[in-house]
Amino acid sequence: MKCPKCKQIELKSYVINEIEVDQCPTCRGIWFDEQELPALLTHSSKDFKSLAQGKERSDLDKISGQCPVDDSDLMRVFSQPDRNVVIDRCPKCLGVWLDGGELKRLAK
């Protein structure tokens, strides 16, 4: 799968508490298939601390991307837990893209 923001960079898979997620090694954004993000957020933030280390970059917030699963245009929506975090969501597969640093904000 390719990063929705960096376009040509391959995402790397990580397993955290039996939940497999994909992260861009360049921008540190993270792809969650449907229900992976809510499942991950039920665990202690210590369990996914290394995954949440990305820095927030306002330039990436302005880039709309394509779903790495089905290539649909991602929709930008406010997250439920923190309306200051704008997430990218696929309307077809319901996956979620968090830019670097956004997981850390949602975990608080």
Side-chain angles (χ1 to χ4, degrees):
M1 290 193 299
K2 305 263 189 225
C3 175
K5 301 293 177 107
C6 297
K7 308 295 183 195
Q8 297 304 313
I9 305 297
E10 286 288 328
L11 300 178
K12 296 191 180 204
S13 295
Y14 298 93
V15 178
I16 311 288
N17 292 334
E18 300 180 16
I19 302 165
E20 184 176 333
V21 298
D22 304 284
Q23 186 171 45
C24 177
T26 302
C27 71
R28 306 293 289 169
I30 308 165
W31 176 257
F32 297 90
D33 291 328
E34 183 182 14
Q35 297 304 317
E36 289 177 342
L37 179 57
L40 187 71
L41 290 174
T42 64
H43 296 280
S44 168
S45 61
K46 293 176 187 174
D47 293 343
F48 54 87
K49 184 178 180 181
S50 63
L51 206 61
Q53 292 302 314
K55 280 175 64 175
E56 290 188 53
R57 290 179 40 195
S58 59
D59 60 318
L60 291 179
D61 219 18
K62 298 173 181 131
I63 297 172
S64 60
Q66 274 68 44
C67 175
V69 174
D70 60 33
D71 210 35
S72 297
D73 289 335
L74 296 177
M75 299 180 340
R76 303 185 41 76
V77 296
F78 294 104
S79 74
Q80 294 277 350
D82 182 345
R83 295 197 44 84
N84 292 316
V85 176
V86 178
I87 62 174
D88 300 281
R89 182 164 194 139
C90 178
K92 287 186 182 176
C93 75
L94 303 179
V96 171
W97 177 260
L98 294 181
D99 292 329
E102 291 179 337
L103 177 58
K104 188 181 210 177
R105 289 178 62 193
L106 291 178
K108 290 185 177 181

